[in-house]
Every structure is written in structure tokens, then in C-alpha cells.
Amino acid sequence: KQEVTQIPAALSVPEGENLVLNCSFTDSAIYNLQWFRQDPGKGLTSLLLIQSSQREQTSGRLNASLDKSSGRSTLYIAASQPGDSATYLCAVVAGNQFYFGTGTSLTVIP
Amino acid sequence: DAGVIQSPRHEVTEMGQEVTLRCKPISGHDYLFWYRQTMMRGLELLIYFNNNVPIDDSGMPEDRFSAKMPNASFSTLKIQPSEPRDSAVYFCASSLAPERQYFGAGTRLSVL
């Protein structure tokens, strides 16, 4: 069974810092990988989707990379802002199943 | 479009009662997903539908849980009888393809 792990569980950084969130998965046979953002009391918002054939995707200050062979993905956030404070989850799709990590809670301090 | 609409937003009930959660997907989306989120287990996929047909219900925890999608614009998740361990936030999501899912705001269920 696919297991998805996110480290760290929580992260606090000063505004303006660049940061990296990590996601690892145990089975490299994935269809795609997504990064989501969840604000308190809200549902998930899709940030980036990387197909299994791709290595990275970029959207604004966000860049996500995928290394299937090592079972890892990273989400890079440049010039962090207080509005980036949220929980970030990664999810892999494999064999018609969806597997979510438990998330990294990010706090950006003004 | 108003996005995925879930109701109620909050539900408090007593153990043993029947609970029905409702979801209206985004118009035109042909996939619908039900998730449960808890602190202990994170986000878990319970069941998903394609064109109103259940595709995979392997995540449904037990027979007390059932889900239906009678038409393209409505789905329900029912728990009967409810138990305190069912307390969680239940999310519904819809999409045109399995990848790009749009989530509702969730229903926070408390079973006393």
C-alpha cells in the first residue's frame, strides 16, 4: 500500500524567507502528484499538479518538483508572505486510489 | 459557479442517530469524491463516483456508511447508526478528471 509522508509536520519562518516542504511516497508507480493548500476550517485548494512524466511545475512563487525514482517531491515557496500561512498537503494518485500525506503546517511570521 | 456545496456545515448528533451529509458538485463535473479528515488519520478517501456510478468504495470504513449519487448534481453520505468515532470533517470534491479536484468547505460532524 502506498504511504505518503510529509516532513516537517510544522514549520515557522520569518516573512521573505524561501522555504521547502517535503513529500515522500513509498511506491514510485504513481499516476500524478498534487500539492494542496488548506486554510483553517476550509477545504483543500489545488496548487500544482505534476504528471508522472514531468519533473516540475511552476505557478507564481511556487515550484514543485518530482523525482519518482527516489519517491520524493518538494514544494518550494519563494519570498514567503504571511498569507502563505496554511497547511500544505501532497497527494499521489496510483491505481485509481488517492493517497494524502498528513500535511505541513506553515506559519509565516510578519 | 458557486463551487462544491456541502450541507450542513456543522452537525451535532447523538450516538445511534442517523446522519446524512449532502453534496452538490460543480455543474459539468463527472467525478465526485467523499473524504474524511481527522487529526489522527489525516485525509482519507471514502468513495468516489464517475458519472453517478460508484467506482471505488474500498475506503468506506464499515457497513454503517453508505453513499449515493442519484443524479449528476447531488450526492449523499449516510451514517447509520452514528458513533462517537465517526466525528470528523467530511469533505466532498468534484472534478472533470480525477486529477483536478475542487473541494467543498466540509461538514464538521460531532457525534456525542
Side-chain angles (χ1 to χ4, degrees):
Chain A
K1 181 187 172 183
Q2 180 77 262
E3 291 186 6
V4 181
T5 305
Q6 291 187 246
I7 295 174
L11 181 64
S12 183
V13 300
E15 180 177 2
E17 223 175 73
N18 302 325
L19 58 100
V20 174
L21 307 180
N22 296 293
C23 173
S24 60
F25 46 95
T26 54
D27 188 343
S28 63
I30 66 171
Y31 183 64
N32 64 52
L33 184 143
Q34 293 188 71
W35 282 94
F36 291 86
R37 168 185 173 138
Q38 184 175 27
D39 293 285
K42 302 284 184 62
L44 280 66
T45 300
S46 180
L47 297 173
L48 289 165
L49 182 153
I50 311 177
Q51 300 289 354
S52 63
S53 58
Q54 298 175 322
R55 295 300 299 269
E56 66 178 329
Q57 282 288 328
T58 298
S59 175
R61 294 182 294 107
L62 306 180
N63 175 275
S65 68
L66 174 64
D67 183 344
K68 279 203 317 177
S69 61
S70 65
R72 296 175 64 182
S73 175
T74 61
L75 178 67
Y76 175 83
I77 302 177
S80 58
Q81 302 170 358
D84 295 330
S85 298
T87 296
Y88 291 80
L89 295 92
C90 69
V92 300
V93 178
N96 278 339
Q97 284 292 313
F98 299 80
Y99 303 91
F100 281 81
T102 51
T104 294
S105 177
L106 172 66
T107 301
V108 180
I109 304 166
Chain B
D1 199 309
V4 176
I5 299 173
Q6 291 186 246
S7 63
R9 289 296 314 276
H10 303 275
E11 177 79 35
V12 181
T13 191
E14 293 186 345
M15 183 174 65
Q17 296 297 306
E18 177 179 297
V19 176
T20 300
L21 311 181
R22 297 172 176 80
C23 175
K24 182 181 187 313
I26 293 173
S27 177
H29 283 188
D30 53 2
Y31 284 85
L32 185 139
F33 306 80
W34 282 101
Y35 293 89
R36 177 173 67 177
Q37 187 175 40
T38 62
M39 289 291 291
M40 290 296 294
R41 300 174 66 91
L43 194 66
E44 303 172 282
L45 176 65
L46 300 177
I47 184 172
Y48 76 94
F49 296 82
N50 180 216
N51 292 321
N52 312 338
V53 176
I55 302 301
D56 192 328
D57 65 354
S58 59
M60 296 285 263
E62 45 195 280
D63 292 346
R64 297 183 298 106
F65 286 70
S66 62
K68 294 182 179 179
M69 192 165 186
N71 57 62
S73 59
F74 184 65
S75 177
T76 60
L77 178 68
K78 186 175 294 186
I79 309 172
Q80 166 64 17
S82 59
E83 297 182 2
R85 60 194 170 111
D86 301 330
S87 298
V89 181
Y90 291 82
F91 287 104
C92 174
S94 72
S95 66
L96 278 173
E99 297 93 353
R100 288 282 190 189
Q101 297 180 38
Y102 294 81
F103 281 71
T107 294
R108 183 173 296 277
L109 173 64
S110 297
V111 183
L112 306 177

